Amino acid sequence: PPPAGKSCSGVVGRNFGGLNMETLENCDVIYSYTRKQALEDGVLVDLTKWGKASEKFPSGFTCSVAFTNTLWVAVQNLPNLNIGLRQIKDRSINVIYQGAKALREAMTHHEDEAVFDVVLPQKGKAEEKEQLLIQFHEGDEGEPAVTIGFPMDF
């Protein structure tokens, strides 16, 4: 059971309200929402194919990469009326690249997430930098995974 006065709520893998992973291991799981479910529901958008490390994109990832739906909508909301998949892909790859740079720097300080800024021009908005968050974490089966989104999405 959890320590007296503590409930088993919080984010697994983080120290949240004084609870840590060791505390949560003794708790019964009431409900879990998997990454797979979030991808199926559209809460997360799988961009592994675009974010994969390759000769053309050496700073990409060798694990699953997903955007939050909120970020995906912002990436698609280009001010140009003649947008196409190529522009959306290029913009997505730029976000992944900037996130990868920030995450690699954070990992040198033993951090598993980083905040970074990118310019995401939006229809009807002045061009300004947007703050994004990238997290490196375990997927549903313990495999490495990366999720990128606005800080409010997490």
Side-chain angles (χ1 to χ4, degrees):
K6 300 276 185 178
S7 66
C8 288
S9 62
V11 180
V12 174
R14 298 203 181 281
N15 189 332
F16 186 78
L19 294 174
N20 59 32
M21 188 62 175
E22 292 169 4
T23 304
L24 294 175
E25 285 177 356
N26 298 321
C27 298
D28 292 330
V29 175
I30 297 169
Y31 178 78
S32 68
Y33 187 66
T34 66
R35 183 176 178 89
K36 181 180 177 186
Q37 288 172 308
L39 290 163
E40 289 170 354
D41 294 346
V43 172
L44 295 177
V45 179
D46 187 2
L47 293 180
T48 302
K49 191 173 183 178
W50 291 351
K52 189 174 182 176
S54 67
E55 281 186 33
K56 293 182 179 181
F57 189 37
S59 49
F61 292 96
T62 57
C63 63
S64 168
V65 179
F67 281 6
T68 61
N69 181 272
T70 310
L71 175 57
W72 180 240
V73 169
V75 165
Q76 294 179 82
N77 193 18
L78 292 164
N80 182 345
L81 295 177
N82 297 318
I83 65 166
L85 183 60
R86 182 72 201 164
Q87 290 86 358
I88 293 169
K89 181 179 180 181
D90 289 348
R91 183 179 242 191
S92 298
I93 289 172
N94 180 54
V95 169
I96 294 167
Y97 172 75
Q98 297 299 330
K101 278 186 8 184
L103 184 59
R104 284 186 176 92
E105 174 62 25
M107 291 178 129
T108 66
H109 303 288
H110 308 288
E111 299 289 333
D112 60 1
E113 66 180 30
V115 174
F116 64 102
D117 294 326
V118 294
V119 175
L120 292 174
Q122 306 266 324
K123 293 176 186 173
K125 286 178 66 179
E127 195 169 292
E128 57 188 50
K129 288 185 177 181
E130 298 277 350
Q131 192 173 70
L132 299 178
L133 177 68
I134 183 168
Q135 290 185 339
F136 179 71
H137 53 88
E138 290 185 356
D140 297 340
E141 304 296 323
E143 75 283 4
V146 169
T147 304
I148 306 171
F150 294 101
M152 67 183 180
D153 296 339
F154 292 86

